[in-house]
Amino acid sequence: MTAAMTPVSWSPEQWWALFQHFLTLSLLAIGGAITLVPDMHRRLVTNDGLLSETDFTAAIALAQAAPGPNVLFVSLLGWYSAGLGGALASTLGIMLPSSTLALAASRWIESRKDWLSVRAFQAGMMPVTVGLLLATGWLLTPPVSTQPRALILSIVVAGLVWRTKVRLIWLVMAGAILGALGWV
């Protein structure tokens, strides 16, 4: 993290705006909150200017490297956007609707798992999830013009994950070593 990452605003208006935004996004989180990164980026970086490109990417990287649920990056984005209130507002906004809907839907689907329409819906959601994950990966991939080695590493890692059974921890460690050596 850079020293420049300090909360911008500690206002209840900003907290409410973050809560509403993440509340709306929560119901679109097909495949998890990470699939919503492009819209979070649009709001927090492009439209509102609450975070820089570097700070946005660093917040996601830090939260994803930490142990615990993958959704922690939302809390960190909220923290750096609007302090403790922003972290709480963002976390509650992203968790409440999706958790409630997931619980209700999983119970409903479990009782109707043999229905053709339920199986078709589940099969149809797979490409949507993959597309959202690819959009997130594209957004977080370094620009080719400034960091071609990082792009090559991203492509190699994606290929290894797709075509082999290499454990992800080894790929993370390899990336850390390459970064420490100054290769990326």
Side-chain angles (χ1 to χ4, degrees), residues 25 41 82 116 128 166:
L25 285 181
H41 179 272
L116 179 60
V128 173
V166 174

Side-chain angles (χ1 to χ4, degrees), residues 136-144 150-151 154:
T136 298
W138 181 258
L139 179 74
L140 296 177
T141 301
V144 180
L151 179 64
S154 297

